[in-house]
Amino acid sequence: MLLKIFLTFLKIGAFTIGGGYAMIPLIKREVCSRHAWITEEEFLDGLAASQSAPGSIAVNISIYTGYHIRGKSGMMMAVLGTILPSTFTILMVAILFNQYADQAVIKRAFSALKPAVVALIAVPLIQMPKKCGMNLKNAWFPLAVAILVGLLGVSPIYLILLTIAYAIFESRR
Amino acid sequence: MLLSMLFTFFKIGLFSFGGGYAILAMIQQEVVIKNAWLTEAEFVEVVAISQMTPGPIAINAATFIGYHKAGILGGLLCTIGVILPSLIIMMIITLSYLKLKKLKWFQQVFKRLRLVSVGLIAAALIMILGNAVQSLFAVAVFAVSFVCTWKFKLNPFTMLIATAIFGAIFGSA
């Protein structure tokens, strides 16, 4: 059983390229439909919990599912499976990159990749406000965060702690 | 050095709410500004590489930066550091999420933190914009990749591979 958990998450980790969000449909298909380890409702609860905990969503949902299926050892198997393929791949890439970073062809590729990365970050910025309930009244809040962190170099840690404290205060009134 | 890297990535993991791109501002501030483990240009390269390899972007970035500064052991330690907070917090949340989600303060905290995430993504954009988009060529690549990702829903991996090939041929070293 533990081996099966490990192998399933290994497959999930190996075949999702392009960040954590891309992993979610695959994880759902594997753990809800194929293996029926948890129900769809449990999965959705887990997804919500994964979004509220810090860290990568894909790793969090693996932790949640692994723990649900088989306690702490299931959790460790799921996490290892999820991150091993990417850790291995990125280590290989890092080793190669250190050797070939000075090649002209690599430099040319990155001259185009850099602005493309900016585009990748800009797109969710347009799509997210709707999803997270942003409106004219509360838009000052993310705007202030962007200016404080992006322009003035304030650490996000303080803003996150302050936000948590403020939200708790708000709900107690 | 190793210990301070482990601690830094633990901190990044602990305060990385909202997943994916929201974590970038945090990583950049700790790694580029505070510790100077990477230059700004190298940071943008790491983001591109992290998106082109399987797995969550924060973990890929942690492994890459760790390897870059301190070899394979550094890569592994930074990876562990960044997922450790998720493991601890997800374990607690998994056990009590059904109770927690009914609490008003818990809901309010995450409603507010979602807005912070939007601000943090904008901050990441501001921080890398100057370094990544410096030429007319870069502006053109940005515009095309932006439209392809936003309007044509091209996935990040395909978009980046196409951009890399395009850059290798037409880019500047």
Side-chain angles (χ1 to χ4, degrees):
Chain A
M1 181 66 173
L2 281 177
L3 188 70
K4 216 171 179 181
I5 297 175
F6 175 73
L7 290 176
T8 303
F9 280 93
L10 193 71
K11 192 167 89 186
I12 294 168
F15 289 105
T16 36
I17 295 169
Y21 284 99
M23 290 174 138
I24 294 168
L26 191 69
I27 298 179
K28 186 160 171 258
R29 201 173 61 213
E30 288 288 328
V31 301
C32 297
S33 321
R34 258 197 79 200
H35 295 289
W37 282 328
I38 62 176
T39 67
E40 200 148 312
E41 208 188 326
E42 281 170 333
F43 183 82
L44 290 179
D45 269 337
L47 194 61
S50 303
Q51 276 161 337
S52 35
S56 127
I57 288 166
V59 171
N60 287 348
I61 190 88
S62 321
I63 296 172
Y64 174 90
T65 330
Y67 196 83
H68 246 260
I69 309 169
R70 199 66 194 273
K72 280 194 194 107
S73 45
M75 173 179 98
M76 292 313 292
M77 286 297 131
V79 174
L80 274 181
T82 308
I83 66 164
L84 268 186
S86 49
T87 307
F88 181 75
T89 314
I90 194 91
L91 269 179
M92 290 300 118
V93 173
I95 291 167
L96 289 174
F97 188 74
N98 265 11
Q99 280 170 16
Y100 298 108
D102 292 331
Q103 301 275 325
V105 65
I106 301 286
K107 283 195 167 161
R108 283 203 299 271
F110 273 99
S111 74
L113 278 172
K114 284 179 181 178
V117 166
V118 178
L120 273 187
I121 300 176
V123 171
L125 208 55
I126 299 181
Q127 296 164 335
M128 262 183 88
K130 218 197 255 168
K131 278 187 216 157
C132 67
M134 207 168 108
N135 52 43
L136 279 178
K137 246 165 75 188
N138 62 21
W140 65 271
F141 197 71
L143 202 67
V145 171
I147 292 170
L148 286 171
V149 177
L151 293 178
L152 303 175
V154 175
S155 169
I157 294 177
Y158 302 124
L159 299 178
I160 287 167
L161 290 177
L162 211 66
T163 306
I164 294 174
Y166 175 70
I168 292 174
F169 167 76
E170 219 178 8
S171 62
R172 289 286 152 95
R173 259 188 320 198
Chain B
M1 175 73 170
L2 280 175
L3 213 63
S4 106
M5 292 187 92
L6 179 73
F7 178 70
T8 299
F9 276 94
F10 183 86
K11 208 161 71 177
I12 292 171
L14 186 60
F15 287 98
S16 58
F17 288 95
Y21 299 115
I23 304 174
L24 292 179
M26 179 85 192
I27 299 181
Q28 180 167 29
Q29 215 164 52
E30 290 291 326
V31 171
V32 179
I33 300 173
K34 250 171 88 179
N35 290 300
W37 288 328
L38 290 182
T39 66
E40 233 175 87
E42 285 171 333
F43 179 75
V44 188
E45 289 170 3
V46 171
V47 177
I49 292 171
S50 303
Q51 279 291 67
M52 286 194 286
T53 47
I57 186 165
I59 296 179
N60 287 344
T63 316
F64 192 99
I65 295 166
Y67 174 80
H68 182 79
K69 285 319 280 185
I72 292 185
L73 186 64
L76 295 179
L77 276 181
C78 290
T79 312
I80 293 171
V82 83
I83 62 168
L84 211 53
S86 299
L87 272 175
I88 300 166
I89 294 178
M90 270 313 286
M91 220 167 80
I92 300 168
I93 290 192
T94 302
L95 292 174
S96 52
Y97 185 71
L98 292 177
K99 268 181 237 155
L100 277 173
K101 76 170 181 186
K102 293 197 190 88
L103 297 174
K104 210 176 146 204
W105 66 265
F106 189 80
Q107 296 167 357
Q108 189 66 22
V109 163
F110 291 104
K111 209 172 106 194
R112 290 284 175 217
L113 280 181
R114 273 197 288 276
L115 289 173
V116 175
S117 305
V118 178
L120 286 180
I121 296 176
L125 190 74
I126 295 171
M127 287 157 90
I128 70 166
L129 195 64
N131 190 277
V133 188
Q134 285 175 331
S135 61
L136 213 59
F137 172 76
V139 173
V141 172
F142 168 78
V144 173
S145 46
F146 182 81
V147 171
C148 287
T149 309
W150 183 38
K151 283 290 174 205
F152 305 128
K153 310 265 182 267
L154 201 62
N155 76 57
F157 176 72
T158 317
M159 192 275 271
L160 289 178
I161 292 293
T163 311
I165 295 168
F166 176 80
I169 301 168
F170 299 104
S172 53

